Amino acid sequence: MSNSPLICRFGSGLELANLVVSSGLLSQTWDSISELDRELNPSEQIRFRVYQKPNCTVIAFVTSPTPTKPQLQEEDELVSSSFPHLFHFLCTKSNPTLSIHKAAVTLFSSLLDQLSNLKNQISNSVPLIVTGHSVGGSVASLFTLWLLESMNLADAKRVLCITFGAPLIGDKGLQQAISRNSKRNSCFLHVAANQDLVPRLFVSGSVAYQPFGTYLLCSESGYTCIEDPEEVSQLLLAVGSETARNQNPYVELEIFKYTETVKHVEDLVIYQGILKLGEAKVLPLRASTILQLDAIGIKRTQQPLIENMERREQFRAFKLKNAFDPGKKLNKMKEDMANLEWYKKTSMFEKEGYYDSYKHKRFPKDNDAIKFKKRLNQYWKKVVEEAEIMPQKENAPLGITWLYGGTNYRRMVEPLDIADYYSKGLKNYKADGRSEHFKKLEEWLKVDALTTKPDNRKKLNVSNSLTEDSCFWERVEEALMLCKSLRNGEGDRELTIMNLVTFEEYVMEQIKNYAVSPEIFLDRSSFMRWWREYESIIETSYKSKLTDLMKTGKYNKYADGSLDF
């Protein structure tokens, strides 16, 4: 292998690593660790300090050396994120459980009071580097996760965690909690030398530790950047395997110092070229893979590892190419929404509205609506799923554009889901049949509405509006069943009447707020069918705001916004 230095472009983490190396941040952070390490009292388990640099603030963590390899591995126990209730925020519905290295959590917890005070003093005006060496790097990672939770996305972009020779700290649940969240995913750079055994201690153990973030793997030959967690695990096992085999497992582990490694890597940054392999007719992917392994001292004879890395890189490229991107499919979804808008308008000519037209499915256009609904549901379920994994705003993960696009979709399409549900003879849609993604879209709109001014001009455009409560037709269907029960003498009559009065009040509130589409008043709509059923049941002496509106025909003024209350 040539003696020339290698810097391999492999994975998007290279941009992060090159920025850290070329800007001098790598040496600044290691210098801070070295200075703090000299101050560490032998009796101390862990110490941290804040360093104000000209271009950033550095918070460094160091721990006392680990005595022997077997003793460290005895402490490889993983504990739930609920213990000690510090990292439960990492769990989501799609990723409900995760576990963290017990020793790291214990050390972090021992500093909690001091770190809480520090957290309140941290300024968001300058970049923040959190760093640590060996197990101190594990604590630095936990502190970074804990800190990011209290930051908005803009402030989080000014935080970077750089660890040196840190062991893995969590299971696949922790890995996913970080990699699937845009606020956390790009904040971690782990530096690991091929001579350092500590980063590999938990890779092949019985406990399922998993890496996260970008890894800067270094050797005397060069360095390379890896983001794919499976490749990181494989390379951590492969790098320096001879060193690991030759070391006596019962002697003290030598805690590897990164002074020379950092200097070597920073020297390499001036050589931005890539060596020519000298091998004829080598495919670009094979060449890139071989260069990547060369850079960290892995022999080219490890054919299975090379082939596996090629397959994973091809799969990663395929995933990136075919990854779900809401923007890519948005135009098609706009077409489907436009088609449903047209379906809604044409259904009004039949005097029943699009809800009832879809429910009865008598015409070819109803079959087209089924296709539009199916595609839109698939699309928005995926949008909501992605938003929950990678929130952009606390409690309201969708941005404004997507939130209101999702709201229009929900108001247009959920009534069709309700029509399908009740056409099967079912009941209690909201409790038993409603999709979770509709619930989320409604919940996020309510959060956003707290900071959004109400629109007082709705009645000027009510003729073209969608019913705001996407479950309005569910209430109508349930009210029709109440009328049927009352007419047949079923159930508690007094309770049934009370529920019907509650429905009356609900409808009147929607009408007063111009929150329902005027199509509910079409002669053949389910709402008008309910009204005729209800009118035939109630006593002639019974009066309410809704009965006055309906019996006098005032509701006919609703569509042009001229109805006064």
Side-chain angles (χ1 to χ4, degrees), residues 218-248:
C218 310
S219 77
E220 293 179 355
S221 302
Y223 71 83
T224 190
C225 300
I226 308 289
E227 290 178 290
D228 182 277
E230 183 65 28
E231 287 186 13
V232 170
S233 294
Q234 290 178 3
L235 292 177
L236 285 176
L237 282 172
V239 169
S241 56
E242 289 297 323
T243 304
R245 277 199 296 269
N246 294 334
Q247 184 173 13
N248 185 334

PDB file of all heavy atoms in Angstrom, residues 218-248:
ATOM      1  N   CYS A 218      -9.705   6.539  12.107  1.00  0.00           N
ATOM      2  CA  CYS A 218      -8.364   7.032  11.788  1.00  0.00           C
ATOM      3  C   CYS A 218      -7.326   5.924  11.926  1.00  0.00           C
ATOM      4  O   CYS A 218      -7.448   5.018  12.762  1.00  0.00           O
ATOM      5  CB  CYS A 218      -7.978   8.163  12.750  1.00  0.00           C
ATOM      6  SG  CYS A 218      -9.208   9.452  12.908  1.00  0.00           S
ATOM      7  N   SER A 219      -6.303   6.040  11.089  1.00  0.00           N
ATOM      8  CA  SER A 219      -5.128   5.175  11.202  1.00  0.00           C
ATOM      9  C   SER A 219      -3.921   5.993  10.767  1.00  0.00           C
ATOM     10  O   SER A 219      -4.047   7.164  10.372  1.00  0.00           O
ATOM     11  CB  SER A 219      -5.285   3.935  10.323  1.00  0.00           C
ATOM     12  OG  SER A 219      -5.053   4.255   8.962  1.00  0.00           O
ATOM     13  N   GLU A 220      -2.749   5.370  10.788  1.00  0.00           N
ATOM     14  CA  GLU A 220      -1.552   6.073  10.323  1.00  0.00           C
ATOM     15  C   GLU A 220      -1.616   6.341   8.826  1.00  0.00           C
ATOM     16  O   GLU A 220      -0.904   7.203   8.315  1.00  0.00           O
ATOM     17  CB  GLU A 220      -0.306   5.247  10.658  1.00  0.00           C
ATOM     18  CG  GLU A 220      -0.044   5.138  12.155  1.00  0.00           C
ATOM     19  CD  GLU A 220       1.183   4.298  12.451  1.00  0.00           C
ATOM     20  OE1 GLU A 220       1.734   3.741  11.485  1.00  0.00           O
ATOM     21  OE2 GLU A 220       1.578   4.211  13.626  1.00  0.00           O
ATOM     22  N   SER A 221      -2.470   5.597   8.111  1.00  0.00           N
ATOM     23  CA  SER A 221      -2.570   5.755   6.659  1.00  0.00           C
ATOM     24  C   SER A 221      -3.527   6.869   6.253  1.00  0.00           C
ATOM     25  O   SER A 221      -3.437   7.405   5.162  1.00  0.00           O
ATOM     26  CB  SER A 221      -3.054   4.445   6.023  1.00  0.00           C
ATOM     27  OG  SER A 221      -2.188   3.390   6.342  1.00  0.00           O
ATOM     28  N   GLY A 222      -4.467   7.178   7.085  1.00  0.00           N
ATOM     29  CA  GLY A 222      -5.442   8.198   6.705  1.00  0.00           C
ATOM     30  C   GLY A 222      -6.665   8.142   7.594  1.00  0.00           C
ATOM     31  O   GLY A 222      -6.619   7.673   8.734  1.00  0.00           O
ATOM     32  N   TYR A 223      -7.770   8.619   7.078  1.00  0.00           N
ATOM     33  CA  TYR A 223      -9.028   8.543   7.820  1.00  0.00           C
ATOM     34  C   TYR A 223     -10.169   8.424   6.828  1.00  0.00           C
ATOM     35  O   TYR A 223     -10.036   8.717   5.646  1.00  0.00           O
ATOM     36  CB  TYR A 223      -9.213   9.759   8.742  1.00  0.00           C
ATOM     37  CG  TYR A 223      -9.493  11.077   8.058  1.00  0.00           C
ATOM     38  CD1 TYR A 223     -10.786  11.425   7.664  1.00  0.00           C
ATOM     39  CD2 TYR A 223      -8.468  12.000   7.844  1.00  0.00           C
ATOM     40  CE1 TYR A 223     -11.043  12.649   7.069  1.00  0.00           C
ATOM     41  CE2 TYR A 223      -8.713  13.218   7.247  1.00  0.00           C
ATOM     42  CZ  TYR A 223     -10.013  13.537   6.861  1.00  0.00           C
ATOM     43  OH  TYR A 223     -10.269  14.746   6.271  1.00  0.00           O
ATOM     44  N   THR A 224     -11.304   7.970   7.327  1.00  0.00           N
ATOM     45  CA  THR A 224     -12.499   7.888   6.505  1.00  0.00           C
ATOM     46  C   THR A 224     -13.720   8.156   7.374  1.00  0.00           C
ATOM     47  O   THR A 224     -13.668   8.012   8.593  1.00  0.00           O
ATOM     48  CB  THR A 224     -12.623   6.508   5.815  1.00  0.00           C
ATOM     49  OG1 THR A 224     -13.662   6.551   4.841  1.00  0.00           O
ATOM     50  CG2 THR A 224     -12.950   5.414   6.815  1.00  0.00           C
ATOM     51  N   CYS A 225     -14.793   8.562   6.747  1.00  0.00           N
ATOM     52  CA  CYS A 225     -16.021   8.909   7.466  1.00  0.00           C
ATOM     53  C   CYS A 225     -17.120   7.922   7.115  1.00  0.00           C
ATOM     54  O   CYS A 225     -17.366   7.650   5.940  1.00  0.00           O
ATOM     55  CB  CYS A 225     -16.479  10.316   7.102  1.00  0.00           C
ATOM     56  SG  CYS A 225     -15.268  11.564   7.487  1.00  0.00           S
ATOM     57  N   ILE A 226     -17.797   7.428   8.110  1.00  0.00           N
ATOM     58  CA  ILE A 226     -18.879   6.462   7.912  1.00  0.00           C
ATOM     59  C   ILE A 226     -20.095   6.920   8.704  1.00  0.00           C
ATOM     60  O   ILE A 226     -19.989   7.298   9.867  1.00  0.00           O
ATOM     61  CB  ILE A 226     -18.481   5.047   8.392  1.00  0.00           C
ATOM     62  CG1 ILE A 226     -17.156   4.615   7.785  1.00  0.00           C
ATOM     63  CG2 ILE A 226     -19.571   4.037   8.064  1.00  0.00           C
ATOM     64  CD1 ILE A 226     -17.199   4.302   6.328  1.00  0.00           C
ATOM     65  N   GLU A 227     -21.254   6.840   8.057  1.00  0.00           N
ATOM     66  CA  GLU A 227     -22.510   7.144   8.757  1.00  0.00           C
ATOM     67  C   GLU A 227     -23.383   5.913   8.939  1.00  0.00           C
ATOM     68  O   GLU A 227     -24.148   5.833   9.893  1.00  0.00           O
ATOM     69  CB  GLU A 227     -23.302   8.190   7.961  1.00  0.00           C
ATOM     70  CG  GLU A 227     -22.680   9.562   7.964  1.00  0.00           C
ATOM     71  CD  GLU A 227     -23.497  10.514   7.111  1.00  0.00           C
ATOM     72  OE1 GLU A 227     -23.486  10.351   5.877  1.00  0.00           O
ATOM     73  OE2 GLU A 227     -24.135  11.400   7.688  1.00  0.00           O
ATOM     74  N   ASP A 228     -23.317   4.970   8.004  1.00  0.00           N
ATOM     75  CA  ASP A 228     -24.164   3.795   8.073  1.00  0.00           C
ATOM     76  C   ASP A 228     -23.805   2.983   9.324  1.00  0.00           C
ATOM     77  O   ASP A 228     -22.673   2.534   9.484  1.00  0.00           O
ATOM     78  CB  ASP A 228     -23.964   2.931   6.826  1.00  0.00           C
ATOM     79  CG  ASP A 228     -24.862   1.717   6.817  1.00  0.00           C
ATOM     80  OD1 ASP A 228     -24.497   0.707   7.448  1.00  0.00           O
ATOM     81  OD2 ASP A 228     -25.942   1.774   6.196  1.00  0.00           O
ATOM     82  N   PRO A 229     -24.753   2.781  10.256  1.00  0.00           N
ATOM     83  CA  PRO A 229     -24.424   2.129  11.533  1.00  0.00           C
ATOM     84  C   PRO A 229     -23.940   0.689  11.382  1.00  0.00           C
ATOM     85  O   PRO A 229     -23.080   0.245  12.140  1.00  0.00           O
ATOM     86  CB  PRO A 229     -25.734   2.195  12.323  1.00  0.00           C
ATOM     87  CG  PRO A 229     -26.802   2.452  11.314  1.00  0.00           C
ATOM     88  CD  PRO A 229     -26.165   3.221  10.216  1.00  0.00           C
ATOM     89  N   GLU A 230     -24.483  -0.040  10.409  1.00  0.00           N
ATOM     90  CA  GLU A 230     -24.042  -1.418  10.199  1.00  0.00           C
ATOM     91  C   GLU A 230     -22.581  -1.447   9.746  1.00  0.00           C
ATOM     92  O   GLU A 230     -21.785  -2.266  10.218  1.00  0.00           O
ATOM     93  CB  GLU A 230     -24.934  -2.099   9.169  1.00  0.00           C
ATOM     94  CG  GLU A 230     -24.608  -3.569   8.933  1.00  0.00           C
ATOM     95  CD  GLU A 230     -24.864  -4.422  10.166  1.00  0.00           C
ATOM     96  OE1 GLU A 230     -25.739  -4.060  10.981  1.00  0.00           O
ATOM     97  OE2 GLU A 230     -24.167  -5.440  10.311  1.00  0.00           O
ATOM     98  N   GLU A 231     -22.219  -0.548   8.836  1.00  0.00           N
ATOM     99  CA  GLU A 231     -20.833  -0.476   8.387  1.00  0.00           C
ATOM    100  C   GLU A 231     -19.912  -0.037   9.511  1.00  0.00           C
ATOM    101  O   GLU A 231     -18.786  -0.536   9.641  1.00  0.00           O
ATOM    102  CB  GLU A 231     -20.717   0.479   7.198  1.00  0.00           C
ATOM    103  CG  GLU A 231     -21.281  -0.078   5.908  1.00  0.00           C
ATOM    104  CD  GLU A 231     -21.015   0.843   4.725  1.00  0.00           C
ATOM    105  OE1 GLU A 231     -20.200   1.768   4.872  1.00  0.00           O
ATOM    106  OE2 GLU A 231     -21.629   0.629   3.678  1.00  0.00           O
ATOM    107  N   VAL A 232     -20.371   0.903  10.329  1.00  0.00           N
ATOM    108  CA  VAL A 232     -19.559   1.342  11.467  1.00  0.00           C
ATOM    109  C   VAL A 232     -19.248   0.157  12.371  1.00  0.00           C
ATOM    110  O   VAL A 232     -18.096  -0.056  12.777  1.00  0.00           O
ATOM    111  CB  VAL A 232     -20.272   2.454  12.262  1.00  0.00           C
ATOM    112  CG1 VAL A 232     -19.548   2.726  13.582  1.00  0.00           C
ATOM    113  CG2 VAL A 232     -20.342   3.738  11.442  1.00  0.00           C
ATOM    114  N   SER A 233     -20.270  -0.643  12.688  1.00  0.00           N
ATOM    115  CA  SER A 233     -20.067  -1.801  13.566  1.00  0.00           C
ATOM    116  C   SER A 233     -19.067  -2.776  12.954  1.00  0.00           C
ATOM    117  O   SER A 233     -18.163  -3.277  13.639  1.00  0.00           O
ATOM    118  CB  SER A 233     -21.406  -2.514  13.812  1.00  0.00           C
ATOM    119  OG  SER A 233     -22.285  -1.693  14.542  1.00  0.00           O
ATOM    120  N   GLN A 234     -19.216  -3.055  11.644  1.00  0.00           N
ATOM    121  CA  GLN A 234     -18.312  -3.992  10.987  1.00  0.00           C
ATOM    122  C   GLN A 234     -16.876  -3.472  10.978  1.00  0.00           C
ATOM    123  O   GLN A 234     -15.930  -4.228  11.213  1.00  0.00           O
ATOM    124  CB  GLN A 234     -18.790  -4.257   9.563  1.00  0.00           C
ATOM    125  CG  GLN A 234     -20.084  -5.059   9.495  1.00  0.00           C
ATOM    126  CD  GLN A 234     -20.548  -5.259   8.068  1.00  0.00           C
ATOM    127  OE1 GLN A 234     -19.887  -4.855   7.126  1.00  0.00           O
ATOM    128  NE2 GLN A 234     -21.707  -5.881   7.908  1.00  0.00           N
ATOM    129  N   LEU A 235     -16.715  -2.188  10.705  1.00  0.00           N
ATOM    130  CA  LEU A 235     -15.367  -1.632  10.625  1.00  0.00           C
ATOM    131  C   LEU A 235     -14.725  -1.500  11.999  1.00  0.00           C
ATOM    132  O   LEU A 235     -13.515  -1.676  12.150  1.00  0.00           O
ATOM    133  CB  LEU A 235     -15.398  -0.287   9.915  1.00  0.00           C
ATOM    134  CG  LEU A 235     -15.745  -0.355   8.424  1.00  0.00           C
ATOM    135  CD1 LEU A 235     -15.826   1.038   7.832  1.00  0.00           C
ATOM    136  CD2 LEU A 235     -14.725  -1.186   7.658  1.00  0.00           C
ATOM    137  N   LEU A 236     -15.515  -1.194  13.027  1.00  0.00           N
ATOM    138  CA  LEU A 236     -14.958  -1.148  14.373  1.00  0.00           C
ATOM    139  C   LEU A 236     -14.415  -2.512  14.779  1.00  0.00           C
ATOM    140  O   LEU A 236     -13.411  -2.616  15.497  1.00  0.00           O
ATOM    141  CB  LEU A 236     -16.016  -0.679  15.372  1.00  0.00           C
ATOM    142  CG  LEU A 236     -16.358   0.814  15.362  1.00  0.00           C
ATOM    143  CD1 LEU A 236     -17.499   1.107  16.328  1.00  0.00           C
ATOM    144  CD2 LEU A 236     -15.150   1.671  15.707  1.00  0.00           C
ATOM    145  N   LEU A 237     -15.103  -3.567  14.322  1.00  0.00           N
ATOM    146  CA  LEU A 237     -14.613  -4.914  14.606  1.00  0.00           C
ATOM    147  C   LEU A 237     -13.356  -5.235  13.808  1.00  0.00           C
ATOM    148  O   LEU A 237     -12.425  -5.873  14.303  1.00  0.00           O
ATOM    149  CB  LEU A 237     -15.705  -5.946  14.272  1.00  0.00           C
ATOM    150  CG  LEU A 237     -16.835  -6.099  15.285  1.00  0.00           C
ATOM    151  CD1 LEU A 237     -17.927  -7.008  14.730  1.00  0.00           C
ATOM    152  CD2 LEU A 237     -16.305  -6.667  16.598  1.00  0.00           C
ATOM    153  N   ALA A 238     -13.342  -4.787  12.541  1.00  0.00           N
ATOM    154  CA  ALA A 238     -12.231  -5.134  11.658  1.00  0.00           C
ATOM    155  C   ALA A 238     -10.978  -4.321  11.921  1.00  0.00           C
ATOM    156  O   ALA A 238      -9.863  -4.833  11.835  1.00  0.00           O
ATOM    157  CB  ALA A 238     -12.658  -4.950  10.201  1.00  0.00           C
ATOM    158  N   VAL A 239     -11.153  -3.040  12.254  1.00  0.00           N
ATOM    159  CA  VAL A 239      -9.998  -2.156  12.440  1.00  0.00           C
ATOM    160  C   VAL A 239      -9.177  -2.598  13.651  1.00  0.00           C
ATOM    161  O   VAL A 239      -9.687  -2.767  14.749  1.00  0.00           O
ATOM    162  CB  VAL A 239     -10.458  -0.695  12.636  1.00  0.00           C
ATOM    163  CG1 VAL A 239      -9.292   0.173  13.085  1.00  0.00           C
ATOM    164  CG2 VAL A 239     -11.026  -0.152  11.348  1.00  0.00           C
ATOM    165  N   GLY A 240      -7.900  -2.780  13.420  1.00  0.00           N
ATOM    166  CA  GLY A 240      -7.009  -3.098  14.535  1.00  0.00           C
ATOM    167  C   GLY A 240      -7.278  -4.426  15.196  1.00  0.00           C
ATOM    168  O   GLY A 240      -6.992  -4.604  16.382  1.00  0.00           O
ATOM    169  N   SER A 241      -7.871  -5.410  14.465  1.00  0.00           N
ATOM    170  CA  SER A 241      -8.190  -6.702  15.071  1.00  0.00           C
ATOM    171  C   SER A 241      -6.934  -7.416  15.565  1.00  0.00           C
ATOM    172  O   SER A 241      -6.963  -8.134  16.554  1.00  0.00           O
ATOM    173  CB  SER A 241      -8.946  -7.582  14.078  1.00  0.00           C
ATOM    174  OG  SER A 241      -8.198  -7.736  12.880  1.00  0.00           O
ATOM    175  N   GLU A 242      -5.824  -7.209  14.869  1.00  0.00           N
ATOM    176  CA  GLU A 242      -4.573  -7.835  15.299  1.00  0.00           C
ATOM    177  C   GLU A 242      -4.143  -7.312  16.662  1.00  0.00           C
ATOM    178  O   GLU A 242      -3.706  -8.065  17.525  1.00  0.00           O
ATOM    179  CB  GLU A 242      -3.479  -7.564  14.262  1.00  0.00           C
ATOM    180  CG  GLU A 242      -3.661  -8.310  12.954  1.00  0.00           C
ATOM    181  CD  GLU A 242      -3.599  -9.825  13.141  1.00  0.00           C
ATOM    182  OE1 GLU A 242      -2.787 -10.282  13.975  1.00  0.00           O
ATOM    183  OE2 GLU A 242      -4.368 -10.537  12.482  1.00  0.00           O
ATOM    184  N   THR A 243      -4.313  -5.998  16.858  1.00  0.00           N
ATOM    185  CA  THR A 243      -3.957  -5.391  18.146  1.00  0.00           C
ATOM    186  C   THR A 243      -4.787  -5.991  19.264  1.00  0.00           C
ATOM    187  O   THR A 243      -4.298  -6.304  20.347  1.00  0.00           O
ATOM    188  CB  THR A 243      -4.167  -3.867  18.094  1.00  0.00           C
ATOM    189  OG1 THR A 243      -3.405  -3.346  17.010  1.00  0.00           O
ATOM    190  CG2 THR A 243      -3.735  -3.213  19.391  1.00  0.00           C
ATOM    191  N   ALA A 244      -6.089  -6.155  18.982  1.00  0.00           N
ATOM    192  CA  ALA A 244      -6.989  -6.700  19.995  1.00  0.00           C
ATOM    193  C   ALA A 244      -6.636  -8.142  20.323  1.00  0.00           C
ATOM    194  O   ALA A 244      -6.671  -8.560  21.485  1.00  0.00           O
ATOM    195  CB  ALA A 244      -8.431  -6.608  19.503  1.00  0.00           C
ATOM    196  N   ARG A 245      -6.296  -8.928  19.297  1.00  0.00           N
ATOM    197  CA  ARG A 245      -5.971 -10.341  19.525  1.00  0.00           C
ATOM    198  C   ARG A 245      -4.677 -10.500  20.326  1.00  0.00           C
ATOM    199  O   ARG A 245      -4.530 -11.416  21.121  1.00  0.00           O
ATOM    200  CB  ARG A 245      -5.845 -11.074  18.192  1.00  0.00           C
ATOM    201  CG  ARG A 245      -7.173 -11.531  17.626  1.00  0.00           C
ATOM    202  CD  ARG A 245      -6.931 -12.631  16.595  1.00  0.00           C
ATOM    203  NE  ARG A 245      -6.164 -12.127  15.459  1.00  0.00           N
ATOM    204  CZ  ARG A 245      -6.728 -11.617  14.368  1.00  0.00           C
ATOM    205  NH1 ARG A 245      -8.037 -11.532  14.301  1.00  0.00           N
ATOM    206  NH2 ARG A 245      -5.986 -11.184  13.364  1.00  0.00           N
ATOM    207  N   ASN A 246      -3.734  -9.590  20.076  1.00  0.00           N
ATOM    208  CA  ASN A 246      -2.425  -9.737  20.690  1.00  0.00           C
ATOM    209  C   ASN A 246      -2.353  -9.199  22.111  1.00  0.00           C
ATOM    210  O   ASN A 246      -1.381  -9.430  22.811  1.00  0.00           O
ATOM    211  CB  ASN A 246      -1.359  -9.043  19.835  1.00  0.00           C
ATOM    212  CG  ASN A 246      -1.198  -9.734  18.488  1.00  0.00           C
ATOM    213  OD1 ASN A 246      -1.475 -10.922  18.356  1.00  0.00           O
ATOM    214  ND2 ASN A 246      -0.749  -8.967  17.484  1.00  0.00           N
ATOM    215  N   GLN A 247      -3.377  -8.456  22.523  1.00  0.00           N
ATOM    216  CA  GLN A 247      -3.308  -7.839  23.845  1.00  0.00           C
ATOM    217  C   GLN A 247      -3.772  -8.829  24.917  1.00  0.00           C
ATOM    218  O   GLN A 247      -4.762  -9.532  24.754  1.00  0.00           O
ATOM    219  CB  GLN A 247      -4.177  -6.585  23.914  1.00  0.00           C
ATOM    220  CG  GLN A 247      -4.037  -5.874  25.267  1.00  0.00           C
ATOM    221  CD  GLN A 247      -4.763  -4.551  25.273  1.00  0.00           C
ATOM    222  OE1 GLN A 247      -5.540  -4.278  24.378  1.00  0.00           O
ATOM    223  NE2 GLN A 247      -4.504  -3.736  26.263  1.00  0.00           N
ATOM    224  N   ASN A 248      -3.081  -8.866  26.028  1.00  0.00           N
ATOM    225  CA  ASN A 248      -3.471  -9.689  27.166  1.00  0.00           C
ATOM    226  C   ASN A 248      -4.747  -9.106  27.773  1.00  0.00           C
ATOM    227  O   ASN A 248      -4.761  -7.960  28.220  1.00  0.00           O
ATOM    228  CB  ASN A 248      -2.351  -9.695  28.214  1.00  0.00           C
ATOM    229  CG  ASN A 248      -2.658 -10.643  29.369  1.00  0.00           C
ATOM    230  OD1 ASN A 248      -3.795 -10.926  29.677  1.00  0.00           O
ATOM    231  ND2 ASN A 248      -1.586 -11.125  30.008  1.00  0.00           N
TER     232      ASN A 248
END
